[in-house]
Amino acid sequence: MSADPIVRTILHPQDIQLPGKLWEWAVNDTMKAIIAQQFAAKAFIVKAIYQRTKDETEQKRLFGLMHNNPTSDPWLHRVIRKQYQRGHTFVRNQIVYQGAGYSVKRLSRSTLQIDVQGIEKGKRIILKARCRHVIAGQIRLIRNELGNLEIHTIRRRVIPKVAKSITTQVGIDKGYTEAFFTSNGDEIATGLGKLMTAKTARITRTNRNRYRLRSHAQNNPEKAATILKNNLGYQVKSKRLKAEKATIQNFIRRDLARVITSPTRIFAEDLTQPIKNKYESKALNRKLASWMKGELQASLESISKKTGSVLSTVNPAYTSQLDSLTGTLLGSRKGDRFTSFTGVVEQSDINAAQNILHRGSDTEITRWMKYAEVRRTLIRRTVRYLASIGTTVQMALDLGWLHSKFKTEALSCEAECSPSGVEGTVKPCDGRVPQTRKRAKKPRPRQEKPAILDTFIQLSLFAEI
């Protein structure tokens, strides 16, 4: 907040035609928003530090520089500049009032009269609002997209303290068709996928029709103004989208409150980072783009505060491909079915939720590990498990227990851990795949190009074979 008085000395209230108090409250609120954004960005900076180095001394040095002198280290300075947003805003539709800038009088059980300070000194603007709650503290007046005036206020709610000893633990897997699956087998917000698919289909259909109308308006200048005024506005569109989001939010939170009613230690996936190298169809990409995974996380945070629970996020890498019974990569998932190498069939989302619960107490796989490191750790565990039951990696591949995409790393890890085979002793293995040196290619002798007739003969013989 040290920049607050500096800003107020550079830009004065009379420069933007605002009373002094309104200008002071606006600057104070803006500074609070900037500080909140910077604190939120520190979570990504901490993750980047953990991914950059495993040396505790180097990590401690970077953490100290992050708080005291972040510009002294070039790499840290670059990461901070990437995460911190610049001080630009295009908000022109709201204003902030503290308690001294307005007064509230109740007219009826559900109606309030709010007198707010205007631009002219001594004159107040009278607003009437439907509200049953007492309005106090800072309020925010916002002119929304529909042209209506909204009053945002803070409601006081009693939040229970986090219980000192929590005995109940649950792992939660986030999904699209259903909002959550718990490790206990509970299904939360069943039918969420249908709501999301219907919402995505409606938006796609509406936008496609709007593009056609816009193209028609460009080709027909006489009707362009009428089409833009009556058919291409945003009031109805924004109102309907807002109502759909509110419906989905209430659907998720109401069903989540039905399952979690007491202090619980909740483990969930950290889905803040996008999945790279995934290219799907346009229809599927539209559904995933509209997937409210941020709302799922917000719902978990809300229910944890209401019930005094503790919410912890874990590394999501390969949680849906693990066998929850053995903790290995033996088994296969097809749709909603996960089949272990022993033939046991389980619901895939419940299996993933159980893996998330186990990962909450896994000290070897941390939240900030890269997926490649997690894969190496899991392959090492799989190789050790196969050796303990008297099976090799090649046998597991032939039987279909292990997916072929893990073949190279699994065989390399097996050769490093137990070079004498299954019957030999299993040596400690760090999971790293030994790097093989590439042999230098010998220059091939230059050959003369064959005649065209000879080439045709070779092709015809190959076709006959």
Side-chain angles (χ1 to χ4, degrees), residues 7 21 36 107 172 264 287 317 341 460:
V7 173
K21 282 296 180 182
L107 301 179
I172 289 185
T264 309
K287 293 178 182 179
F341 74 101
S460 62

Side-chain angles (χ1 to χ4, degrees), residues 380 383-384 387 413-421 424-431:
R380 180 173 69 249
V383 170
R384 288 179 176 177
C413 185
E414 184 183 39
E416 182 183 356
C417 295
S418 54
S420 58
T425 58
V426 179
K427 300 191 302 182
C429 173
D430 58 356

Side-chain angles (χ1 to χ4, degrees), residues 275-444:
I275 301 175
K276 297 181 180 180
N277 300 328
K278 283 289 184 180
Y279 303 98
E280 305 291 348
S281 63
K282 289 185 178 180
L284 184 57
N285 284 335
R286 279 196 295 265
K287 293 178 182 179
L288 293 177
S290 63
W291 182 36
M292 300 174 65
K293 65 177 182 180
E295 174 56 34
L296 298 181
Q297 184 68 20
S299 300
L300 291 175
E301 294 175 357
S302 176
I303 196 64
S304 63
K305 292 180 181 178
K306 291 180 181 179
T307 58
S309 302
V310 177
L311 176 62
S312 303
T313 52
V314 300
N315 197 314
Y318 298 97
T319 53
S320 61
Q321 303 178 42
L322 280 178
D323 185 0
S324 59
L325 298 177
T326 60
T328 61
L329 294 169
L330 303 177
S332 61
R333 174 180 178 174
K334 292 183 179 180
D336 293 337
R337 293 162 57 91
F338 184 88
T339 306
S340 65
F341 74 101
T342 58
V344 178
V345 180
E346 192 176 5
Q347 216 283 342
S348 58
D349 294 321
I350 297 178
N351 177 73
Q354 292 173 350
N355 289 324
I356 293 170
L357 176 61
H358 298 156
R359 189 160 291 182
S361 57
D362 193 339
T363 57
E364 195 174 4
I365 299 177
T366 62
R367 176 185 173 186
W368 311 111
M369 285 179 63
K370 294 183 179 180
Y371 76 95
E373 299 177 5
V374 177
R375 184 180 65 244
R376 286 194 291 267
T377 303
L378 297 176
I379 288 176
R380 180 173 69 249
R381 294 178 181 178
T382 304
V383 170
R384 288 179 176 177
Y385 180 79
L386 289 173
S388 66
I389 63 175
T391 310
T392 62
V393 173
Q394 188 59 49
M395 293 171 61
L397 291 168
D398 296 339
L399 294 172
W401 295 353
L402 185 63
H403 199 281
S404 58
K405 64 182 179 181
F406 304 118
K407 177 179 179 179
T408 304
E409 291 188 64
L411 291 174
S412 301
C413 185
E414 184 183 39
E416 182 183 356
C417 295
S418 54
S420 58
V422 178
E423 297 178 358
T425 58
V426 179
K427 300 191 302 182
C429 173
D430 58 356
R432 291 178 296 179
V433 180
Q435 300 292 333
T436 57
R437 296 182 179 179
K438 296 182 179 180
R439 297 182 179 178
K441 295 183 178 180
K442 297 181 180 180
R444 296 181 179 179

Side-chain angles (χ1 to χ4, degrees), residues 146-374:
L146 305 179
N148 300 327
L149 189 64
E150 298 179 357
I151 302 176
H152 291 199
T153 181
I154 300 174
R155 288 180 55 187
R156 295 184 179 273
R157 178 177 293 175
V158 178
I159 299 177
K161 293 184 179 179
V162 177
K164 295 182 179 180
S165 59
I166 300 178
T167 58
T168 308
Q169 295 184 352
V170 64
I172 289 185
D173 178 57
K174 302 172 185 176
Y176 183 85
T177 55
E178 297 82 14
F180 304 105
F181 258 101
T182 68
S183 55
N184 300 328
D186 297 321
E187 192 173 339
I188 302 174
T190 307
L192 175 66
K194 294 182 179 179
L195 292 176
M196 297 296 300
T197 302
K199 169 175 162 291
T200 306
R202 184 197 64 78
I203 293 175
T204 304
R205 183 175 60 254
T206 302
N207 289 340
R208 187 180 293 117
N209 293 334
R210 287 170 66 91
Y211 295 150
R212 291 173 180 171
L213 283 174
R214 188 178 297 276
S215 176
H216 181 65
Q218 293 176 353
N219 297 329
N220 193 347
E222 298 178 356
K223 296 184 178 181
T226 305
I227 292 175
L228 291 175
K229 179 180 178 181
N230 300 328
N231 302 103
L232 296 179
Y234 289 91
Q235 293 186 4
V236 177
K237 181 182 178 181
S238 302
K239 186 176 181 180
R240 189 164 185 180
L241 183 60
K242 185 178 180 180
E244 288 176 341
K245 288 184 177 180
T247 301
I248 294 174
Q249 182 189 73
N250 295 335
F251 177 58
I252 295 173
R253 299 196 178 190
R254 183 176 63 250
D255 208 21
L256 185 61
R258 174 185 57 85
V259 177
I260 301 177
T261 57
S262 59
T264 309
R265 189 173 297 277
I266 305 171
F267 296 99
E269 302 168 282
D270 181 13
L271 299 180
T272 55
Q273 296 296 330
I275 301 175
K276 297 181 180 180
N277 300 328
K278 283 289 184 180
Y279 303 98
E280 305 291 348
S281 63
K282 289 185 178 180
L284 184 57
N285 284 335
R286 279 196 295 265
K287 293 178 182 179
L288 293 177
S290 63
W291 182 36
M292 300 174 65
K293 65 177 182 180
E295 174 56 34
L296 298 181
Q297 184 68 20
S299 300
L300 291 175
E301 294 175 357
S302 176
I303 196 64
S304 63
K305 292 180 181 178
K306 291 180 181 179
T307 58
S309 302
V310 177
L311 176 62
S312 303
T313 52
V314 300
N315 197 314
Y318 298 97
T319 53
S320 61
Q321 303 178 42
L322 280 178
D323 185 0
S324 59
L325 298 177
T326 60
T328 61
L329 294 169
L330 303 177
S332 61
R333 174 180 178 174
K334 292 183 179 180
D336 293 337
R337 293 162 57 91
F338 184 88
T339 306
S340 65
F341 74 101
T342 58
V344 178
V345 180
E346 192 176 5
Q347 216 283 342
S348 58
D349 294 321
I350 297 178
N351 177 73
Q354 292 173 350
N355 289 324
I356 293 170
L357 176 61
H358 298 156
R359 189 160 291 182
S361 57
D362 193 339
T363 57
E364 195 174 4
I365 299 177
T366 62
R367 176 185 173 186
W368 311 111
M369 285 179 63
K370 294 183 179 180
Y371 76 95
E373 299 177 5
V374 177

Side-chain angles (χ1 to χ4, degrees), residues 73-103:
D73 186 85
W75 175 84
L76 184 62
H77 189 197
R78 185 168 63 252
V79 173
I80 289 178
R81 284 178 58 86
K82 179 181 178 181
Q83 296 298 336
Y84 279 17
Q85 299 296 326
R86 306 299 186 270
H88 301 291
T89 178
F90 299 96
V91 177
R92 300 291 186 272
N93 63 338
Q94 57 183 265
I95 192 169
V96 177
Y97 287 92
Q98 297 290 350
Y102 68 94
S103 60

